[in-house]
């Protein structure tokens, strides 16, 4: 089973790296980091702060955009090209197909995020900004966020078209980033409808703010990549949350995809 899943993952990786859009996104990430240097030089002795903030923001944002771009067409493409008819007739279970596709995305996104991070760290080095444990923690959290977003995109791809899957995925990505605002609205809103909508959103939407906490508060303490950041215990909690959410989404994707009729 693992051999079949891994073979499918490698095939997915080879197909993904042929997309020219990925190289365009990589170029944009490089441009964002160069822009961070320019902004840093224009700021008053805040070069390191600007470079870190824009660099990490670029890794998180463009990593998630790439995950959605790849994920929304991951399963749909096989159905549209009718290659799924050949695949399902082979000794390959549908859950193996979904897991293999997602694993291929993980390999692709891991390579891209390593490139994104390398570009950022290289430009930080050019500004004599050291690589700290705090920065590495922030990059790991960004990587976890991208994997969750990829799982969201695959979930919608299991039953919808790429266009609608993209809209749904971007919607959940946005709501996941503003969960603190949703909690604030829930506490202050007078309307029962608004409270109900916020409660439902907080229950269903992944809390992506867990992975981009710099500048916010954790357990009442201010955290920042420029100072005191989250503990390793928080890192373990965030990793567990990401794995749990990914597991649930993959389970739902497999259940839906296994019941689809491709005739």
């Amino acid at each position: 089973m693992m051999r079949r899943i891994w073979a499918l993952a490698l095939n997915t990786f080879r197909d993904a790296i042929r997309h020219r859009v990925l190289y365009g996104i990589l170029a944009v990430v490089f441009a964002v980091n160069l822009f961070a240097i320019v902004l840093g030089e224009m700021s008053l002795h805040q070069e390191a702060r600007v470079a870190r903030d824009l660099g990490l923001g670029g890794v998180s944002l463009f990593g998630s955009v790439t995950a959605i771009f790849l994920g929304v067409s991951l399963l749909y493409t096989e159905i549209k090209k009718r290659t799924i008819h050949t695949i399902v007739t082979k000794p390959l279970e549908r859950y193996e197909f979904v897991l293999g596709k997602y694993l291929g995305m993980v390999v692709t996104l891991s390579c891209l995020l390593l490139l994104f991070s390398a570009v950022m760290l290289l430009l930080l080095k050019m500004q004599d900004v050291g690589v700290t444990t705090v920065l590495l923690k922030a990059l790991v959290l960004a990587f976890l966020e991208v994997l969750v977003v990829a799982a969201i995109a695959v979930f919608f791809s299991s039953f919808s078209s790429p266009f609608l899957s993209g809209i749904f995925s971007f919607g959940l990505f946005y709501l996941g980033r503003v969960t603190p605002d949703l909690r604030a609205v829930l506490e202050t809103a007078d309307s029962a409808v608004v409270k109900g909508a916020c409660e439902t959103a907080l229950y269903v939407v992944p809390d992506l703010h867990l992975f981009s906490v710099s500048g916010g508060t954790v357990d009442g303490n201010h955290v920042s990549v420029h100072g005191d950041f989250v503990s390793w215990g928080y890192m373990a909690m965030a990793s567990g949350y990401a794995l749990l959410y990914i597991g649930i989404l993959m389970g739902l994707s497999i259940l839906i995809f296994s019941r689809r009729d491709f005739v």
Side-chain angles (χ1 to χ4, degrees):
M1 179 189 70
M2 291 306 300
R3 187 180 302 172
R4 293 193 296 269
I5 291 176
W6 182 243
L8 187 58
L10 289 179
N11 186 62
T12 302
F13 170 72
R14 295 189 193 99
D15 289 339
I17 60 176
R18 295 193 186 104
H19 286 287
R20 295 181 181 179
V21 176
L22 300 186
Y23 301 101
I25 293 175
L26 181 60
V28 171
V29 171
F30 187 78
V32 167
N33 282 275
L34 287 177
F35 183 60
I37 294 179
V38 175
L39 284 183
E41 293 297 329
M42 295 171 61
S43 64
L44 297 176
H45 308 292
Q46 297 294 322
E47 295 87 351
R49 177 180 293 272
V50 173
R52 288 195 195 100
D53 285 341
L54 279 182
L56 288 171
V59 171
S60 175
L61 175 61
F62 292 108
S64 297
V65 169
T66 305
I68 293 174
F69 170 75
L70 293 176
V72 295
S73 60
L74 196 67
L75 303 179
Y76 182 83
T77 301
E78 301 290 349
I79 300 172
K80 184 179 180 180
K81 292 182 178 178
R82 299 189 181 278
T83 52
I84 189 67
H85 297 287
T86 305
I87 294 172
V88 296
T89 58
K90 294 182 177 181
L92 179 72
E93 299 293 337
R94 293 194 183 188
Y95 75 89
E96 295 174 344
F97 179 76
V98 176
L99 291 177
K101 284 290 187 178
Y102 180 72
L103 182 58
M105 274 193 65
V106 170
V107 174
T108 305
L109 292 170
S110 298
C111 293
L112 284 174
L113 287 179
L114 283 174
L115 287 174
F116 293 170
S117 302
V119 169
M120 182 188 72
L121 296 177
L122 175 62
L123 295 178
L124 286 175
K125 186 68 175 178
M126 291 171 59
Q127 292 184 296
D128 295 324
V129 179
V131 179
T132 63
T133 305
V134 168
L135 192 59
L136 294 178
K137 284 182 178 180
L139 287 173
V140 170
L141 289 176
F143 175 68
L144 292 173
E145 178 186 34
V146 170
L147 294 187
V148 173
V149 173
I152 292 172
V154 172
F155 167 69
F156 286 120
S157 178
S158 66
F159 63 86
S160 185
S161 67
F163 177 74
L164 291 177
S165 297
I167 292 176
F168 296 149
S169 298
F170 274 112
L172 255 66
F173 172 69
Y174 174 76
L175 290 175
R177 277 299 193 92
V178 298
T179 48
D181 297 325
L182 292 177
R183 293 190 183 95
V185 172
L186 180 62
E187 293 175 357
T188 58
D190 296 326
S191 172
V193 176
V194 173
K195 285 189 174 182
C198 290
E199 287 180 347
T200 303
L202 289 172
Y203 183 76
V204 175
V205 172
D207 189 0
L208 299 181
H209 184 71
L210 287 174
F211 310 111
S212 57
V213 292
S214 181
T217 57
V218 175
D219 296 329
N221 300 316
H222 180 77
V223 294
S224 172
V225 292
H226 312 294
D228 293 330
F229 200 51
V230 295
S231 65
W232 287 110
Y234 180 91
M235 295 291 293
M237 182 276 295
S239 300
Y241 178 87
L243 292 175
L244 176 62
Y245 207 90
I246 290 170
I248 293 173
L249 287 173
M250 286 297 98
L252 292 173
S253 301
I254 290 169
L255 179 63
I256 294 170
F257 196 74
S258 297
R259 297 188 175 187
R260 290 194 62 174
D261 185 7
F262 303 116
V263 177

